[in-house]
Amino acid sequence: MLASIHTAPLEAVGAIPATGAASLAWLLVAIPLASAAVLLVAGRRSDSWGHWLGVLAPVLSFLLGATIAIQLLGLPADDRVMTTQLYPWITTPELSIDFGTRVDPLSVTFVLLVTFVGSLIHVYSVAYMEHDIDRRRFFAYMNFFVGAMLLLVVADSYALLFVGWEGVGLASYLLIGFWNFNPDYATAAKKAFVMNRVGDVGLLLAMGAMFTTIGSVSFEDVLGAEFSAAWATAIGLFLLLAATGKSAQFPLQAWLGDAMAGPTPVSALIHAATMVTAGVYLVVRSGPVYLQSPDAQLAVAIIGAITLLFGAIVGSAKDDMKKVLAASTMSQIGYMMLAAGLGPIGYAFAIFHLFTHGFFKAGMFLGAGSVMHGMNDQVNIRRFGGLSTYMKVTWVTFMMGWLAILGIPPFSGFWSKDKIIEAAFVGEGWHPWVFGTVALLGAGITAFYMSRLFFMIFHGDKRWTKAPEGPDQHPHESPALMTVPMVILAIGSVALGGLLSVGGSFVTWLEPVTGHAEHHEPVLPVLVIMIATIAVVLAGVAIAWRMYVAVAAPMTAPHGSALTRAARNDLYQDQLNEAVFMRPGQALTQGLFLADEYVVDGTIEGTAFGLASIGRVASRLQNGYVRSYAGYIVGGAAVAVVVMLASRM
């Protein structure tokens, strides 16, 4: 039984002063930021030990985060929202903002995800980046990201959240372009940075609207305020714009595929498990605002529905395995955004899927890195095949993530994604039929393209590169520092969803933030939805097996249909952005340049030239001869006489 889209406003749980471990939440942020500072200041002197300091930082933050989670679990639900005001930050006659932390089930869930998965990825990176001369700097950037992400989720105001928001954007830019000696990688970093700044405008506008209406941007004030329908809609849409940029949702999703230029651990941590989910966090955190504007809430669901299909279609045609996973991330976050547009129970399911997705998607990204490690950094799945024999740990752990994202029972995705599909069928009018159908169709396409990826890497004929096409391949398993984190994430992919579903424990855990929703049946029986979901998933797997295993997969991409060619080119989103935004902007800039050069500068330079010419003529009159001056006087007098006589006629 699931909640209707139409629910009563959230009954906010009042915050209380933090005590115990919760009062030390600021250390969650301080520890990784201090580690990043040490690594950057120490420079080359820390090359021999810096990576271990980089690993230690998220581990310590995780231990503190786990202690805080245990503290909250031991409290009644009404006492699970705690704040700590550390010091005054912005103090003006019009606005006062403290630097403070907010510890509640939502923020702690993100803390556990960021620090636990982040710790595993840091351990993996020790081996993955072993031969990089800038490994110490890599760990400094990764620690900086973890600190910024933790600030984003424990901040007690939109203003402080914005500091973390910009911090993760900067870290993303630095890590995407980590190997910036490659011009394409540097360009990818700039593209991600610029597109995220477009989204950031939305968050700034939202804060401006909050200040205009209630004079505050703190969560306590904003989430407890009543807005008019117009202001609630405006704020909701501004926040949605911010979320589309950070979470790679339509129409600001084009940067995510290019972000795969960064080292694979970056893709796993930032562009799969954590930063790209910040938009979902922002929407769920702002739930009381959206519940006051059905239009803004509907817009969130529509954007999620569009993106989940967009990403799935693009992922079906890509041959770069990291870009397939990026498209998959885009699509899965689309599911989360769709759920976030369904009301309080949708909020809980969005975060539930976000949490399980962080494990199985990070695991698959690390699996992709392991494949690259064993295959001379190749990423083209048409040059793999048959690797299950040579990389058994990578094969099994990747398989666990694959089964989880497909939603095969009892793997984690079954408990989280399928709940979103069921929730999409709840409501009135056209909403459940459209959103439910889209979610169901997305599940089938997901099964196809993720099975295509899995089969083409690990099964079928060996299609490895042979000289003189490239170096001969000698696939081999990765070292333990890489495989152990993959195994732990695979265990989460198998068991985490089921464990958190027992007795609806995860949904109940989030109720102090998401509120309690009334339950309603979907427009189709739950059993019918479940059977239909499994059927489309199995159909997607079967089609992929028939196309890429039963029949030898071609080593070069076939011409394909018009849709396939469009999907390979990201459905021409870059071309659309260039036509709609870039080229008109370039034309405007060129027009302003020409106006400045020929109108403004021309007028000024023409005036100066005219005055200079007058000066040159006047200078010729000053020749030093008395007779010339006498002539000028006589001539002037004659002109004066003529003018006087003419005036009297």
Side-chain angles (χ1 to χ4, degrees):
M1 296 178 66
L2 300 165
S4 168
I5 294 177
H6 306 288
T7 56
L10 293 178
E11 296 180 3
V13 173
I16 62 175
T19 58
S23 65
L24 301 176
W26 61 273
L27 282 173
L28 294 167
V29 180
I31 291 171
L33 290 184
S35 174
V38 169
L39 293 175
L40 290 173
V41 172
R44 295 294 180 193
R45 290 168 292 183
S46 64
D47 280 351
S48 61
W49 51 266
H51 48 286
W52 292 117
L53 176 61
V55 171
L56 180 62
V59 171
L60 291 177
S61 290
F62 168 70
L63 293 176
L64 177 56
T67 304
I68 294 173
I70 293 171
Q71 177 187 355
L72 292 190
L73 286 169
L75 296 173
D78 289 345
D79 294 335
R80 289 179 180 172
V81 179
M82 299 183 178
T83 60
T84 301
Q85 306 305 319
L86 299 176
Y87 58 84
W89 178 34
I90 299 174
T91 303
T92 69
E94 296 81 15
L95 179 65
S96 178
I97 302 175
D98 292 332
F99 193 103
T101 61
R102 185 181 183 91
V103 172
D104 59 27
L106 178 61
S107 63
V108 170
T109 297
F110 271 82
V111 166
L112 294 177
L113 175 65
V114 172
T115 55
F116 184 77
V117 175
S119 296
L120 294 176
I121 293 173
H122 276 68
V123 172
Y124 177 99
S125 300
V126 172
Y128 189 87
M129 301 295 290
E130 181 179 7
H131 302 295
D132 195 295
I133 62 173
D134 290 318
R135 179 169 63 169
R136 173 261 321 154
R137 180 165 58 88
F138 175 83
F139 276 90
Y141 291 167
M142 290 282 275
N143 279 184
F144 174 71
F145 165 78
V146 171
M149 187 68 195
L150 292 174
L151 176 61
L152 190 158
V153 298
V154 301
D156 72 339
S157 68
Y158 286 96
L160 191 55
L161 177 149
F162 186 72
V163 176
W165 189 273
E166 292 302 293
V168 296
L170 174 59
S172 175
Y173 167 77
L174 293 172
L175 286 164
I176 294 171
F178 185 75
W179 292 319
N180 56 20
F181 50 80
N182 184 323
D184 290 338
Y185 294 177
T187 299
K190 288 187 290 185
K191 179 179 180 179
F193 189 80
V194 170
M195 293 196 74
N196 271 269
R197 299 294 75 74
V198 174
D200 293 349
V201 172
L203 187 49
L204 289 170
L205 291 172
M207 288 192 290
M210 295 169 191
F211 175 72
T212 299
T213 52
I214 65 171
S216 175
V217 293
S218 73
F219 289 151
E220 199 71 15
D221 294 332
V222 173
L223 303 183
E226 291 187 10
F227 297 94
S228 67
W231 276 114
T233 299
I235 294 171
L237 293 178
F238 289 150
L239 293 173
L240 177 58
L241 174 60
T244 59
K246 193 66 74 183
S247 292
Q249 298 293 282
F250 181 85
L252 296 178
Q253 82 292 341
W255 64 271
L256 187 58
D258 296 82
M260 298 303 103
T264 301
V266 174
S267 303
L269 178 61
I270 297 182
H271 303 122
T274 55
M275 185 195 85
V276 290
T277 60
V280 180
Y281 170 82
L282 181 65
V283 171
V284 173
R285 173 64 77 190
S286 307
V289 176
Y290 281 100
L291 288 180
Q292 297 179 57
S293 173
D295 292 338
Q297 188 170 298
L298 178 60
V300 173
I302 291 173
I303 291 296
I306 292 173
T307 309
L308 78 86
L309 286 182
F310 190 107
I313 293 170
V314 169
S316 298
K318 293 290 187 181
D319 291 333
D320 182 322
M321 65 177 169
K322 289 181 66 177
K323 291 192 175 184
V324 174
L325 292 173
S328 172
T329 299
M330 184 193 310
S331 180
Q332 294 304 303
I333 296 176
Y335 272 104
M336 301 170 204
M337 294 293 285
L338 171 60
L342 300 179
I345 196 66
Y347 300 154
F349 290 154
I351 302 302
F352 188 16
H353 190 49
L354 184 154
F355 197 71
T356 61
H357 174 267
F359 280 78
F360 59 72
K361 183 55 65 63
M364 285 191 284
F365 261 111
L366 296 189
S370 181
V371 171
M372 293 172 63
H373 179 271
M375 296 291 286
N376 291 321
D377 288 331
Q378 286 209 55
V379 293
N380 187 349
I381 59 177
R382 295 187 182 277
R383 294 290 179 168
F384 296 147
L387 293 182
S388 60
T389 304
Y390 302 88
M391 307 177 71
K392 291 190 179 299
V393 176
T394 302
W395 170 55
V396 171
T397 56
F398 199 101
M399 183 192 300
M400 298 303 100
W402 167 61
L403 293 172
I405 198 171
L406 262 58
I408 300 295
F411 294 87
S412 289
F414 169 75
W415 303 100
S416 58
K417 188 179 73 174
D418 281 34
K419 287 293 186 293
I420 295 176
I421 296 174
E422 292 176 20
F425 277 102
V426 173
E428 300 174 354
W430 60 267
H431 294 182
W433 299 106
V434 172
F435 293 143
T437 302
V438 167
L440 189 62
L441 179 60
I445 303 175
T446 299
F448 168 75
Y449 74 81
M450 290 304 298
S451 298
R452 172 180 180 265
L453 176 69
F454 179 69
F455 294 150
M456 291 187 75
I457 294 174
F458 296 105
H459 296 277
D461 298 334
K462 300 174 184 178
R463 303 178 301 279
W464 308 345
T465 301
K466 302 294 183 183
E469 300 175 47
D472 287 338
Q473 301 295 344
H474 303 285
H476 55 277
E477 190 56 89
S478 300
L481 281 175
M482 294 172 65
T483 56
V484 170
M486 291 158 54
V487 169
I488 296 173
L489 291 171
I491 293 172
S493 301
V494 175
L496 187 63
L499 290 175
L500 296 179
S501 293
V502 175
S505 57
F506 191 81
V507 173
T508 303
W509 157 254
L510 289 175
E511 281 186 354
V513 178
T514 61
H516 178 74
E518 295 296 327
H519 292 274
H520 298 276
E521 289 288 347
V523 294
L524 293 175
V526 172
L527 182 61
V528 171
I529 297 173
M530 185 180 300
I531 293 174
T533 302
I534 294 176
V536 297
V537 166
L538 294 178
V541 174
I543 293 171
W545 176 272
R546 176 68 182 84
M547 293 179 64
Y548 300 104
V549 180
V551 178
M555 295 181 66
T556 56
H559 184 65
S561 65
L563 180 59
T564 300
R565 296 193 298 275
R568 289 173 186 159
N569 204 22
D570 298 322
L571 298 181
Y572 304 114
Q573 185 66 37
D574 281 335
Q575 290 83 345
L576 178 62
N577 290 339
E578 290 174 5
V580 175
F581 300 107
M582 187 186 79
R583 291 196 181 94
Q586 288 177 329
L588 176 62
T589 302
Q590 183 66 16
L592 292 174
F593 170 77
L594 294 175
D596 179 67
E597 183 173 9
Y598 294 106
V599 178
V600 179
D601 288 352
T603 300
I604 294 173
E605 291 174 1
T607 302
F609 179 78
L611 293 174
S613 299
I614 293 172
R616 284 193 295 271
V617 172
S619 67
R620 294 193 186 101
L621 300 178
Q622 305 296 320
N623 54 21
Y625 294 112
V626 175
R627 62 179 179 271
S628 297
Y629 299 153
Y632 299 156
I633 294 171
V634 172
V639 171
V641 170
V642 171
V643 171
M644 182 180 65
L645 293 175
S647 64
R648 293 185 176 183
M649 292 179 62

